[in-house]
Amino acid sequence: MEKPTFKPYRLPAGGWGSARSVREILNREGVAASGPIALTRHNKVDGYQCNSCAWVKPASPLPLEFCENGVKAVAWEITAHRCTPAFFAEHTVTELLGWDDYHLEQPGRLTQPLRYDAEIDRYVPVSWGHAVQEIARELRAVEDKRKGTVFYSSGRLSNEASYLYQLFARLYGNNNLPDSSNMCHETTSVALPASIGQGVGTVDLRDFARSDCIMFFGQNPGSNSPRMLHPLQEASERGAAIITYNPLRERGLERFINPQSPTEMLTGRETRISSQYHQVRAGGDLAAITGICKSVLALHEAALVAGKAAILDVAFIAEHTQGFDSFVDWLREQQWDAIERHSGLHRADLEATATVYARSKAAIGVYGMGLTQHQAGVETVRMLVNLLLMRGNMGRAGAGICPVRGHSNVQGQRTMGVTEKPELFPLDRLGEQFNFEPPREPGYNTVEACEAILRDEVQAFIMMGGNFVRAIPDHGQMEPAWRKLRLTVNVITKLNRSALLPGEISYILPVLGRLEIDETTAGQQVLSIEDTTACVHGSRGLRTPASPHLLSEVRLICELAKQALDPNPRVRWDDYMTNYAEIRKEVGVTLPDSFNDYERRMWEPGGFQRDLPVKRREWRTKSGRAEFVIPAGLDEDPDMPDADHDTFRLMTLRSNDQFNTTVYGYDDRFRGIKNTRKVVLMNRSDIDRLGFRVGQLATLKTVANDGVDRELSGMIVVAYDLPIGCVGGYYPECNVLMPIWHYAAGSKTPAAKSIPVTIHSDGPEIVAPEMEYAGRQ
Ligand SMILES: Nc1nc2c(c(=O)[nH]1)N[C@H]1C(S)=C(S)[C@@H](COP(=O)(O)OP(=O)(O)OC[C@H]3O[C@@H](n4cnc5c(=O)[nH]c(N)nc54)[C@H](O)[C@@H]3O)O[C@H]1N2
Ligand SMILES: Nc1nc2c(c(=O)[nH]1)N[C@H]1C(S)=C(S)[C@@H](COP(=O)(O)OP(=O)(O)OC[C@H]3O[C@@H](n4cnc5c(=O)[nH]c(N)nc54)[C@H](O)[C@@H]3O)O[C@H]1N2
Ligand SMILES: [Mo]
């Protein structure tokens, strides 16, 4: 590996850097010739839907409706490389455990089902028939079906597979359906229903085109939803205000060149994205938004005194909301010095935002992990809703709330019933439809599944996609506990670390990817997904499968269910796995409001939008109105010993070269970091205060009084532009530092953006000189 370097990136997001990267990726995966052909069908009606993020698939797509990171995700799946049984014959599991995430996925797509053989410490090929039979037998043998079996899934699973998976779990006898959204937008699924009676965002692309004020809190579109930069560019050029709150200056939120525009590429004409950029302290948004609300209130009062038009939407507040007066009382009590201390920002910064917001006609609040992954994440999201409600920015054109969901179908999965919360799915109707009594007790979410594993209560864990053990907190405790499971089933496409922690009986079951042709006796089957604006799209594979031995996820679920469950004439597994339209028919019965005429509508340009009651100002909350919340305090992470200068807030970040635990490479182009992921980004003054030198190595230790030592050494100290007291490191490397109990109250989303750590020198030697951020570029 080449020497780590740090050289601030001077270019905008997009542009030639992006175009070059796309070419390199296709070459690297050995698909330089066929990759570009596939990409012309990317996010197109009758094409396939991108397997990377959940950003909108527009009705009028660009000729090339993809981004650099979409290409990475596609190339990763259609790669020419194969991880065959010969690879497993060569390497023991113990040896592979020493490899890092990047190298584990390099051998390529898995080609055959494999079973772990403990005697030779290797995975060996096995037939599908044998695999399904043994897994089904083990599932039947679990004593306490309610507590003993977990059905995890990761958010790429199609609507069709998700629907069958939840049906399988509920017929089996539990709601243990944790999924990856428990680790990201679970906070949203708790906050939004309480505030506005709807668990998903309220805006779509048309709203972005009409808004004149877009406020961004803790979401990084440049790396995690790059196609979103197109509507943002359009908004900026139209003169809309884009206001960002983020501890880091993320390039995608600063400036952008559309790599698909020849003029922009040739002339280098870039667009400024954010009109205001506030480097809020990690966990400081609750205080910051409180400050903005307080300023808006003051502007309103001043306007009334001056005989000018009201700033608040008084009629909306009276007709549609609840709790406004108490909220105003609470706002008046909040002191500016506390707001400034918690947010790390000046009153004038927050007033500047309030002034622009107060003038706007239609505002959108966008957010991501920077809000959801804190202990008070639920209250912070609800505070952002408060801000929007004050001016009636809900249920009208150009306005609303926009959680930017992660995985390409994580939202659809929840819609299809993959949820541990029984109240989120119409179980009565499901029971009637299939003539059974669905379990009503809440199931495990991801954190609760981990806790149950630590208590030795789980016997069988089915992982439908994902790299669970790597994505969760507390690796030091979870990995040994994981190995005590009786049955672990890894339904994956590439090798990952979770599969290398076999339980007593362990399988790797390789499946088709979304880009691959899924052929049954009834012909080629198609799938559907839902994007972050609740639009549902059809997706048709176009590539020959990576191996003739792969099964589709739908088929695998049906085969397992047929053997693990008693027969039920209403559940037609054989029909479902032959003709996926039969699954969509069942979805239409369970969810008639949104999924009538599913089969046809999923091919409409731009997809069809699910019913969103807030769009017509219908509030399905307890009071039947939108509810203002009053938070318990301004502190988002009460775990953080605040007055203690030696404790830092660690934010775990994604680089531009990863998709979750899949590490595409060791460069984080936009942040200027090359050839390494073992870095700790620190403010220069913190480095000086600790007597450290830039480029030396350091150890991070978690501050927690629970008797468990959590530490990570060999981290290169980088001087970076981020607030004093906050430090940054990469996920999943830093997950070893996260206590399992450090999560958001109410949603149990791990609080991955504020882990209390101390930092210790590993010695004065400089391993990487020049790791200093040279100032704003
Ligand atoms: N290429 C690529 N795309 C992805 C993914 C990927 O890994 N790679 N992952 C997908 C998934 S599953 C998800 S959930 C999404 C995640 O996408 P995002 O929501 O963008 O998540 P992160 O990158 O974890 O963090 C977002 C931003 O939060 C900022 N931040 C950290 N702490 C705070 C804070 O306290 N306050 C504020 N205001 N900001 C803060 C960070 O600096 C960062 O810019 O992306 C999806 N898309
Ligand atoms: N510290 C920290 N931890 C975090 C986060 C954070 O910000 N900070 N973010 C959290 C979030 S938001 C998330 S969503 C999780 C996600 O974390 P992960 O579980 O890593 O998510 P995936 O990207 O789904 O998992 C990648 C694996 O999925 C398999 N796979 C890929 N495509 C397919 C497919 O089509 N079918 C099947 N069956 N398998 C496939 C591959 O084998 C690959 O190894 O991590 C969470 N953990
Ligand atoms: Mo996520």
Side-chain angles (χ1 to χ4, degrees):
M1 178 107 117
E2 287 175 52
K3 214 168 150 170
T5 61
F6 180 65
K7 197 167 152 203
Y9 189 68
R10 285 164 211 286
L11 299 173
W16 288 108
S18 199
R20 200 174 308 121
S21 169
V22 164
R23 203 176 50 234
E24 281 168 16
I25 298 156
L26 295 172
N27 278 332
R28 186 169 75 194
E29 299 294 350
V31 291
S34 64
I37 302 173
L39 286 168
T40 61
R41 305 305 308 143
H42 193 90
N43 291 338
K44 295 289 166 57
V45 175
D46 209 37
Y48 65 87
Q49 301 303 328
C50 183
N51 54 355
S52 189
C53 79
W55 184 245
V56 191
K57 322 305 189 240
S60 327
L62 297 167
L64 301 175
E65 185 61 42
F66 59 75
C67 68
E68 173 186 343
N69 284 335
V71 173
K72 285 181 194 161
V74 163
W76 181 92
E77 183 178 309
I78 68 175
T79 178
H81 308 303
R82 296 290 177 271
C83 184
T84 63
F87 171 86
F88 291 95
E90 240 173 79
H91 305 285
T92 62
V93 163
T94 307
E95 181 202 335
L96 292 171
L97 263 181
W99 294 23
D100 59 20
D101 299 302
Y102 170 78
H103 288 102
L104 285 178
E105 293 196 352
Q106 283 311 298
R109 289 286 300 277
L110 294 157
T111 59
Q112 283 189 44
L114 303 152
R115 186 184 190 281
Y116 180 63
D117 182 338
E119 255 169 49
I120 55 171
D121 188 29
R122 282 178 175 81
Y123 272 99
V124 294
V126 60
S127 72
W128 278 107
H130 181 93
V132 168
Q133 212 176 23
E134 186 176 34
I135 295 166
R137 193 188 65 219
E138 286 298 321
L139 290 179
R140 280 180 179 275
V142 171
E143 289 141 34
D144 185 345
K145 299 221 167 26
R146 197 176 58 74
K147 288 189 174 160
T149 304
V150 180
F151 298 92
Y152 174 76
S153 58
S154 176
R156 299 182 203 236
L157 212 60
S158 63
N159 276 0
E160 290 74 7
S162 302
Y163 182 82
L164 294 182
Y165 196 49
Q166 62 83 26
L167 182 60
F168 179 15
R170 295 190 165 118
L171 286 163
Y172 178 83
N174 66 44
N175 286 307
N176 293 337
L177 289 156
D179 83 340
S180 60
S181 80
N182 290 149
M183 295 184 257
C184 34
H185 277 289
E186 194 55 37
T187 299
T188 296
S189 308
V190 173
L192 295 188
S195 282
I196 56 172
Q198 171 183 310
V200 299
T202 69
V203 298
D204 53 42
L205 267 188
R206 289 166 303 184
D207 295 307
F208 275 89
R210 290 178 190 171
S211 174
D212 60 351
C213 177
I214 301 171
M215 296 177 283
F216 255 88
F217 290 87
Q219 201 268 335
N220 184 16
S223 291
N224 298 331
S225 50
R227 287 181 307 105
M228 190 177 189
L229 295 179
H230 298 288
L232 291 180
Q233 180 181 35
E234 189 273 329
S236 166
E237 284 173 352
R238 200 159 35 77
I242 299 178
I243 303 177
T244 297
Y245 282 79
N246 195 313
L248 271 59
R249 296 193 69 90
E250 302 287 25
R251 184 49 46 91
L253 286 161
E254 294 189 306
R255 33 201 185 93
F256 175 59
I257 285 188
N258 178 356
Q260 301 193 10
S261 155
T263 336
E264 287 176 37
M265 291 293 272
L266 292 173
T267 60
R269 188 176 68 81
E270 56 184 54
T271 307
R272 184 212 65 199
I273 298 295
S274 297
S275 44
Q276 283 184 28
Y277 207 117
H278 302 291
Q279 287 182 268
V280 64
R281 204 167 71 133
D285 304 83
L286 184 54
I289 304 170
T290 300
I292 303 169
C293 290
K294 198 172 160 72
S295 309
V296 171
L297 181 66
L299 289 171
H300 172 72
E301 286 164 349
L304 295 190
V305 170
K308 293 191 185 148
I311 303 283
L312 298 179
D313 188 339
V314 181
F316 171 85
I317 292 172
E319 188 184 341
H320 290 286
T321 70
Q322 162 104 353
F324 180 67
D325 293 342
S326 334
F327 176 58
V328 166
D329 292 344
W330 179 83
L331 274 183
R332 289 190 210 285
E333 284 163 22
Q334 303 313 304
Q335 302 299 314
W336 278 108
D337 59 342
I339 292 174
E340 290 189 325
R341 194 174 66 247
H342 283 287
S343 66
L345 297 169
H346 296 296
R347 175 175 177 172
D349 298 326
L350 305 171
E351 286 174 343
T353 301
T355 305
V356 173
Y357 175 66
R359 272 203 301 262
S360 68
K361 294 194 174 66
I364 295 178
V366 181
Y367 67 94
M369 302 301 97
L371 292 201
T372 62
Q373 294 180 333
H374 286 286
Q375 290 185 299
V378 172
E379 288 181 335
T380 308
V381 170
R382 296 193 64 187
M383 185 59 94
L384 180 56
V385 174
N386 285 355
L387 176 62
L388 294 169
L389 292 175
M390 287 176 89
R391 303 200 66 236
N393 279 306
M394 280 282 173
R396 63 184 173 87
I401 186 110
C402 179
V404 184
R405 305 294 299 247
H407 267 297
S408 54
N409 195 37
V410 66
Q411 190 162 313
Q413 248 191 324
R414 303 288 275 187
T415 305
M416 291 297 115
V418 170
T419 167
E420 74 289 351
K421 297 184 170 65
E423 69 278 11
L424 293 186
F425 202 59
L427 291 185
D428 290 338
R429 208 172 298 135
L430 192 76
E432 237 170 77
Q433 187 177 345
F434 296 105
N435 193 25
F436 79 115
E437 189 40 57
R440 304 289 169 149
E441 244 179 288
Y444 299 134
N445 57 29
T446 51
V447 162
E448 289 157 355
C450 292
E451 290 165 341
I453 290 169
L454 289 173
R455 288 194 307 265
D456 268 341
E457 284 174 13
V458 176
Q459 279 169 265
F461 197 103
I462 315 276
M463 200 174 70
M464 199 49 75
N467 183 7
F468 186 78
V469 197
R470 198 73 184 133
I472 56 177
D474 251 339
H475 293 162
Q477 299 201 72
M478 285 309 301
E479 290 195 355
W482 192 259
R483 300 209 62 159
K484 291 200 271 170
L485 291 168
R486 163 82 178 162
L487 174 71
T488 58
V489 180
N490 303 274
V491 182
I492 48 181
T493 53
K494 286 195 185 172
L495 180 60
N496 62 39
R497 191 170 172 91
S498 301
L500 299 172
L501 299 162
E504 219 172 302
I505 300 174
S506 191
Y507 280 94
I508 291 178
L509 302 180
V511 286
L512 292 174
R514 189 182 298 161
L515 268 82
E516 290 172 326
I517 297 172
D518 184 352
E519 192 83 38
T520 71
T521 51
Q524 185 180 347
Q525 298 305 307
V526 293
L527 299 166
S528 53
I529 60 120
E530 175 181 331
D531 69 31
T532 200
T533 59
C535 292
V536 181
H537 312 259
S539 181
R540 191 186 303 276
L542 45 70
R543 301 274 303 186
T544 307
S547 143
H549 306 297
L550 304 182
L551 287 195
S552 71
E553 283 151 342
V554 165
R555 167 101 188 265
L556 175 58
I557 294 165
C558 292
E559 298 282 6
L560 273 175
K562 272 167 55 177
Q563 297 203 29
L565 305 176
D566 295 334
N568 172 339
R570 293 268 190 99
V571 192
R572 299 168 295 127
W573 301 110
D574 283 316
D575 294 347
Y576 305 150
M577 69 188 184
T578 320
N579 181 359
Y580 299 178
E582 295 297 320
I583 310 170
R584 290 184 286 270
K585 263 190 221 157
E586 301 285 18
V587 174
V589 176
T590 318
L591 302 167
D593 289 349
S594 288
F595 290 89
N596 57 58
D597 205 9
Y598 189 175
E599 200 59 30
R600 182 188 62 79
R601 289 199 298 155
M602 68 193 220
W603 300 111
E604 281 173 9
F608 68 87
Q609 195 166 39
R610 264 196 318 115
D611 183 46
L612 300 178
V614 170
K615 280 219 176 260
R616 47 177 190 277
R617 296 196 160 170
E618 189 183 313
W619 320 96
R620 298 188 178 168
T621 55
K622 273 196 212 122
S623 62
R625 287 159 169 255
E627 301 199 8
F628 280 92
V629 72
I630 296 175
L634 294 181
D635 194 350
E636 272 182 62
D637 299 279
D639 267 8
M640 283 290 313
D642 215 20
D644 172 3
H645 282 292
D646 291 333
T647 307
F648 292 83
R649 290 166 185 264
L650 169 67
M651 299 176 269
T652 55
L653 302 168
R654 293 171 160 76
S655 84
N656 184 50
D657 221 5
Q658 74 183 86
F659 191 90
N660 297 335
T661 60
T662 289
V663 176
Y664 299 126
Y666 292 91
D667 295 346
D668 192 359
R669 193 169 82 246
F670 297 143
R671 299 199 186 110
I673 295 160
K674 280 191 88 151
N675 305 322
T676 181
R677 292 175 54 84
K678 289 206 78 176
V679 289
V680 52
L681 310 182
M682 298 178 71
N683 184 293
R684 178 78 221 198
S685 66
D686 286 327
I687 297 177
D688 292 344
R689 187 167 56 80
L690 294 183
F692 287 5
R693 292 170 67 199
V694 169
Q696 73 159 84
L697 298 181
T699 296
L700 272 56
K701 292 187 183 171
T702 309
V703 180
N705 295 322
D706 63 352
V708 179
D709 288 331
R710 300 176 181 86
E711 61 174 71
L712 182 60
S713 349
M715 305 289 276
I716 303 172
V717 173
V718 176
Y720 204 81
D721 181 10
L722 80 185
I724 291 175
C726 301
V727 298
Y730 290 119
Y731 134 70
E733 288 81 351
C734 289
N735 285 32
V736 67
L737 294 167
M738 279 165 66
I740 190 74
W741 42 260
H742 183 65
Y743 50 66
S747 69
K748 296 205 174 171
T749 298
K753 297 292 186 267
S754 218
I755 308 164
V757 294
T758 52
I759 310 179
H760 311 264
S761 172
D762 286 357
E765 192 198 346
I766 305 291
V767 298
E770 295 166 35
M771 300 299 272
E772 169 118 28
Y773 186 90
R776 256 172 228 171
Q777 303 303 313

